[in-house]
Structure formats: C-alpha cells, structure tokens
C-alpha cells in the first residue's frame, strides 16, 4: 500500500480507501494518472494529476 498523507482540505485518511479507486490512469494510454479523495469514502473529491503513480503520490504528500 502506498502511504498517503491525509487530505489537506477535509482531513480524510486516503490510506483507508481502496488503492485502485484512489490512484488510477486517466484515459487509455496510461500516460496520465489521477489521485482522488473519494467522496463515497468520506472525502471531498480533491484530486491530483501526474504523469506517473509515483508523481501523483509525491505531489499529494507535499500539499499543505
């Protein structure tokens, strides 16, 4: 499991969400990924976009 910091907007713990629903490729070519604070898991819908799964995680964890 990837270690994600809590959402900076709502405080939701993304580590309690299903990883496949939290970080996934956008489109068919898998050159762009999206990380989302899932509303159905108590989150607010905040998102982060990156060119890889690792980039999304790094960018998300740097948010304040």
């Amino acid at each position: 499991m990837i270690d994600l910091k809590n959402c900076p907007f709502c405080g939701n713990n993304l580590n309690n969400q299903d990883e496949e629903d939290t970080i996934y490729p956008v489109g068919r070519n898998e050159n762009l990924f999206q990380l989302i604070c899932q509303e159905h898991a108590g989150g607010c819908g905040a998102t982060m976009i990156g060119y890889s799964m690792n980039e999304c995680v790094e960018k998300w964890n740097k948010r304040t």
Side-chain angles (χ1 to χ4, degrees):
M1 177 80 184
I2 296 170
D3 188 32
L4 296 167
K5 290 186 178 181
N6 291 354
C7 179
F9 302 109
C10 70
N12 188 34
N13 183 349
L14 276 66
N15 295 302
N16 293 335
Q17 298 180 173
D18 182 1
E19 186 174 313
E20 290 182 10
D21 288 339
T22 303
I23 305 172
Y24 52 87
V26 177
R28 296 182 181 161
N29 61 11
E30 297 188 11
N31 289 331
L32 195 62
F33 285 78
Q34 177 171 313
L35 186 153
I36 187 164
C37 179
Q38 297 292 330
E39 291 179 32
H40 68 270
C44 64
T47 62
M48 180 61 64
I49 300 291
Y51 291 107
S52 70
M53 189 178 295
N54 288 335
E55 181 181 358
C56 280
V57 171
E58 288 176 15
K59 289 168 70 175
W60 180 267
N61 286 338
K62 288 181 182 177
R63 296 173 88 171
T64 57

